Amino acid sequence: MALLPADLAPSFSLLLIVASFFTSATTAAFGLGGGAMLIALMTSVMNPLIAIPVHGAVQLGSNGGRAMVRFKHIVWPFFIWFGIGSAFGVAVGGQIAHLLPENLFKALIGLFLIYTAWGPKLKSVIKSLFVTAITGFIAAAISMVVGVSGPLVMGFLQGLKDRREMVATHAALMTAQNLLKLATFTLLGFKFASYLPLILMMVATGFLGTLSGSKLLDWLSEHLFRQIFKLTLTLLALWLLVQTFLV
């Protein structure tokens, strides 16, 4: 307990450590939702300027673990070109994060998720490497502002036919993006050292959640996965839109 952050109540630290298990399991099973739930919880008990970098570090461990477990299902062309776009997007987003209205981005992401859940699937993104790079740029830049871009990226990945390819490629993409985010926040002066014990504990419980959620993913049928995925996407969209009008 002495290693946990002094500016965070021990009960809140323990809450985040336990929550990391369940949010990672959610993402491993259904492709998304865990990161958004975790950042919502973290910003309710921590200063957002601290929560977003720490969340990025925890998500690096969570997404990295999921990518490792699902390594053989990663669609590498999408990953490479998205990563190229993300490198530029993180650099731009890090410079303008404090200048842009966060609620505007939340509203736009919410509307986009409603479209991707119920509109025509964005298969052209999978086929076009240039559009993939542009997607990476936009998603990474937005992530630096609102802390979450996973649902945005997953909307584009619906063009993949296999649920395991969706989850694996998403995990690899988010791992790369989280690495870039951490490098950028470090260059901008954020000190991760005092939060490292909390981060490592959350990563450890998150990996256990990933293993549990991965077993559930294998058990789900493709049809059932798509239905739960659509419902999860819709709930996330509504949550973002409600936040826009309440804040």
Side-chain angles (χ1 to χ4, degrees):
M1 297 294 291
L3 296 175
L4 295 174
D7 59 346
L8 188 63
S11 58
F12 287 152
S13 293
L14 292 175
L15 175 64
L16 294 179
I17 291 167
V18 173
S20 182
F21 172 88
F22 291 102
T23 56
S24 291
T26 299
T27 303
F30 307 123
L32 76 168
M37 288 189 287
L38 188 60
I39 191 65
L41 179 59
M42 291 179 70
T43 53
S44 68
V45 300
M46 302 173 71
N47 185 320
L49 294 177
I50 296 173
I52 289 178
V54 172
H55 176 266
V58 173
Q59 288 301 100
L60 173 60
S62 178
N63 290 314
R66 197 162 71 256
M68 181 177 65
V69 171
R70 294 290 177 186
F71 186 82
K72 65 179 180 180
H73 293 109
I74 297 172
V75 180
W76 288 106
F78 193 101
F79 169 79
I80 292 170
W81 283 90
F82 184 94
I84 293 172
S86 292
F88 292 98
V90 165
V92 173
Q95 296 299 319
I96 63 175
H98 62 289
L99 300 176
L100 298 177
E102 179 178 332
N103 282 349
L104 173 62
F105 281 100
K106 287 182 178 179
L108 292 176
I109 293 174
L111 293 173
F112 173 78
L113 295 183
I114 292 291
Y115 172 82
T116 55
W118 301 100
K121 302 300 179 258
L122 301 169
K123 295 182 180 180
S124 60
V125 178
I126 303 296
K127 298 177 181 178
S128 171
L129 298 179
F130 175 74
V131 175
T132 297
I134 295 298
T135 303
F137 175 88
I138 295 172
I142 290 176
S143 178
M144 297 298 289
V145 178
V146 300
V148 176
S149 66
L152 179 66
V153 175
M154 196 53 128
F156 289 107
L157 287 172
Q158 285 193 88
L160 296 175
K161 295 181 179 179
D162 189 286
R163 66 192 185 283
R164 289 162 295 193
E165 288 184 348
M166 289 175 61
V167 172
T169 306
H170 181 262
L173 292 171
M174 293 298 97
T175 299
Q177 193 174 106
N178 289 139
L179 278 170
L180 293 169
K181 283 177 65 176
L182 256 64
T184 301
F185 280 124
T186 300
L187 290 173
L188 291 174
F190 185 81
K191 307 298 183 183
F192 284 96
S194 58
Y195 297 93
L196 189 57
L198 174 64
I199 291 169
L200 292 177
M201 292 179 196
M202 292 179 69
V203 168
T205 56
F207 185 70
L208 294 176
T210 291
L211 294 178
S212 300
S214 294
K215 291 182 179 180
L216 179 57
L217 176 65
D218 288 331
W219 177 82
L220 291 172
S221 66
E222 193 70 37
H223 175 73
L224 182 57
F225 170 83
R226 297 282 175 170
Q227 294 303 310
I228 297 175
F229 175 82
K230 183 182 291 188
L231 175 62
T232 306
L233 206 63
T234 303
L235 291 174
L236 280 173
L238 294 175
W239 172 67
L240 288 169
L241 291 172
V242 168
Q243 277 194 317
T244 301
F245 294 106
L246 289 182
V247 178

